[in-house]
Amino acid sequence: MELLVNVNKWIEENKTAFLPPVCNKLMHRYQLNVMFVGGPNERKDYHIEEGEELFYQVQGDMCLKIIENGKQKNVVIREGEVIAYGPGTTEKSKKNSDIWIWQLEGTSTVTMDGKTLTLSAGDSLLVRAQSTYSWKRAEECIALCITQDPKRKQPYT
């Protein structure tokens, strides 16, 4: 999988993976897993994740079933909303972490290991742990940036 991916194109190319019964596909499978989930899909169980999780509801609404402080809870995530669960990430942990950038509006440039890439709306980039990079954002830039604390999640095998 390429590190630079246009999200809308990738979703279109993989649209059959978002249909029942599976309804999901991993875009990146490294220390930081980036998964897109489709529907309709109704789970009766509770997903348990030991690391941080971030949900960005691209289209439609969903109900996330969680257990919080030992009690069952339904969390409604509406289209366009972002919800994060789990401990926060410090700047120190970013140095040893995969970082995923999703350019939502405007443009930005990332120089990674000596190569400069321009991100336009819809593009995403996985910056692998230990990469040397700089990220310059234009004035009208809106992007989603996710970092996983590597102490909380081991690579997917």
Side-chain angles (χ1 to χ4, degrees), residues 14 38 40 45 62 76 94 102 124 137 144-146 153 155:
N14 293 283
D45 62 337
M62 71 169 282
V76 176
K94 287 185 178 185
W102 183 5
S124 73
R137 295 168 293 284
L144 177 64
C145 179
I146 302 170
K153 178 105 177 187

Side-chain angles (χ1 to χ4, degrees), residues 9-131:
K9 182 179 176 188
W10 183 87
I11 289 172
E12 180 62 29
E13 290 170 351
N14 293 283
K15 65 184 175 185
T16 58
F18 305 115
L19 300 173
V22 178
C23 297
N24 66 63
K25 183 164 179 77
L26 281 166
M27 176 186 279
H28 295 292
R29 187 183 263 191
Y30 297 102
Q31 185 265 327
L32 174 66
N33 294 334
V34 177
M35 177 182 285
F36 284 77
V37 180
N41 183 12
E42 185 172 327
R43 294 179 64 150
K44 298 187 184 337
D45 62 337
Y46 290 83
H47 173 69
I48 297 172
E49 177 59 51
E50 295 178 12
E52 299 89 354
E53 286 192 296
L54 183 131
F55 295 85
Y56 173 63
Q57 190 63 22
V58 177
Q59 182 179 350
D61 299 340
M62 71 169 282
C63 178
L64 177 66
K65 296 180 177 293
I66 65 169
I67 297 178
E68 191 172 74
N69 299 322
K71 295 183 179 181
Q72 296 177 356
K73 181 177 176 183
N74 291 336
V75 179
V76 176
I77 307 172
R78 307 246 181 253
E79 185 171 320
E81 290 182 340
V82 176
I83 293 182
Y85 282 99
T89 302
T90 64
E91 285 296 317
K92 184 178 178 184
S93 69
K94 287 185 178 185
K95 293 178 180 162
N96 297 315
S97 303
D98 288 346
I99 299 168
W100 186 63
I101 302 167
W102 183 5
Q103 189 72 38
L104 300 172
E105 294 181 15
T107 61
S108 64
T109 57
V110 176
T111 302
M112 181 171 60
D113 299 327
K115 183 178 179 182
T116 300
L117 303 165
T118 300
L119 302 179
S120 300
D123 289 341
S124 73
L125 177 67
L126 184 69
V127 179
R128 295 298 314 271
Q130 307 300 327
S131 293

Side-chain angles (χ1 to χ4, degrees), residues 137-152:
R137 295 168 293 284
E139 187 174 322
E140 301 296 319
C141 171
I142 298 175
L144 177 64
C145 179
I146 302 170
T147 304
Q148 170 104 42
D149 183 343
K151 292 180 230 157
R152 300 200 174 277

